[in-house]
Amino acid sequence: MGQLPRGAARTLARSLYEARATRQPIAPLTDAEPGLGPLDGYAIQRELLSLLQADGERVSGYKAGLTSEPMQAMFGLDSPDYGPVLASTVHRSGSALSLKAFTAPRVEAEIACRLGADLTGPGITVQQARRSITEVYASIEIVDSRIRDWRIRLADTIADLASAGAVVIGDLPVPAAGLDLPGIAMHLRRGDEWIAAGKGSAALGDPAAVVAWLANTLGALGVTLEAGHLVMTGALHAAVPMSAGDEFVAEFDVLGSVGMRVEP
């Protein structure tokens, strides 16, 4: 579609806003509006973010999704999507997160980057993006969907803040200079069981390429990736379910480990 009137975008955003508040999932937006495309999804996302900011939320960075080839193939795409990282959803390693705070959460281990300089696209190269990254962290993202049973199409997940739930950031900020971001290996365990593994190259071939893509995509909309922003660069493995009592630890080469537990 790409030409969704603002009033319609606001109405759909309100339904997602209420679903977030009540933890009651809703039917896919694309069921009622099958013509919704990515531009429509971002229009709804902007309206939803405005509602959340009116409640006092603030943006502390951005997350990229669909950065791996298998996920892009699932949606028939050749590009990622993005959403804001809300400050209230950022937690330290070792935090206990309540299952009640989510609707249908899943866990992904990722490489997170902290920017030391503004990046205003378009035209940002991977090399420029790499130079802008000052610190790198082990991280876990909890992806969550306000769409019932995760029956999402692309516009649904974009509208829903790219299925953002929360992030857990490792305690050890590692200087970015000289790091081989694509080569960083990760292993994820739940309790005593190793359940997933991946490398930084799963994120668009290079997490710095994700930062460049975000800067250019946001820049085309008049938005700057700011110094201090946190960038979640995308899952290094397939998302895994999260249940009450689970304890997750992701161990990264060079970056150390990050962990969280799920309260009943």
Side-chain angles (χ1 to χ4, degrees):
M1 188 181 293
Q3 299 294 323
L4 191 66
R6 185 173 183 188
R10 190 179 295 118
T11 297
L12 293 172
R14 173 65 65 174
S15 67
L16 285 169
Y17 175 84
E18 292 173 354
R20 292 176 65 90
T22 63
R23 314 298 179 203
Q24 296 299 312
I26 60 174
L29 306 182
T30 52
D31 277 4
E33 299 282 355
L36 291 177
L39 293 179
D40 302 310
Y42 286 119
I44 299 165
Q45 183 188 112
R46 288 192 293 273
E47 296 296 333
L48 175 56
L49 180 58
S50 292
L51 291 170
L52 294 168
Q53 287 175 319
D55 289 340
E57 276 288 3
R58 63 182 181 87
V59 174
S60 63
Y62 289 87
K63 59 154 290 183
L66 306 177
T67 54
S68 67
E69 290 182 1
M71 289 300 293
Q72 290 180 10
M74 181 184 300
F75 287 94
L77 300 171
D78 58 3
S79 179
D81 70 348
Y82 72 84
V85 173
L86 303 177
S88 69
T89 68
V90 180
H91 304 271
R92 295 184 60 179
S93 182
S95 294
L97 304 186
S98 172
L99 201 61
K100 293 180 179 179
F102 305 98
T103 304
R106 299 176 181 179
V107 169
E108 300 174 345
E110 305 187 11
I111 293 172
C113 300
R114 183 81 68 185
L115 301 188
D118 289 357
L119 279 180
T120 304
I124 298 297
T125 66
V126 175
Q127 290 73 25
Q128 288 174 308
R130 187 175 289 113
R131 288 196 296 269
S132 77
I133 301 168
T134 55
E135 296 174 344
V136 183
Y137 297 81
S139 71
I140 290 173
E141 180 181 4
I142 296 94
V143 292
D144 196 16
S145 183
R146 274 55 62 171
I147 304 300
R148 188 173 297 118
D149 300 325
W150 278 92
R151 292 192 298 111
I152 54 173
R153 298 183 178 91
L154 181 60
D156 296 305
T157 184
I158 290 174
D160 192 20
L161 306 189
S163 300
V167 296
V168 181
I169 303 298
D171 293 329
L172 177 66
V174 178
L179 282 184
D180 174 20
L181 295 178
I184 293 175
M186 180 283 308
H187 293 84
L188 176 69
R189 62 180 169 86
R190 180 172 51 211
D192 295 328
E193 180 186 6
W194 296 100
I195 58 173
K199 294 181 69 175
S201 57
L204 283 189
D206 183 345
V210 177
V211 175
W213 177 86
L214 263 173
N216 291 328
T217 302
L218 290 170
L221 301 172
V223 179
T224 292
L225 268 183
E226 300 174 7
H229 268 166
L230 185 72
V231 176
M232 302 294 294
T233 59
L236 306 184
H237 61 95
V240 298
M242 178 177 121
S243 302
D246 283 345
E247 294 188 10
F248 292 94
V249 175
E251 297 186 359
F252 291 75
D253 290 348
V254 184
L255 306 181
S257 63
V258 58
M260 55 163 282
R261 57 189 175 87
V262 187
E263 292 181 340

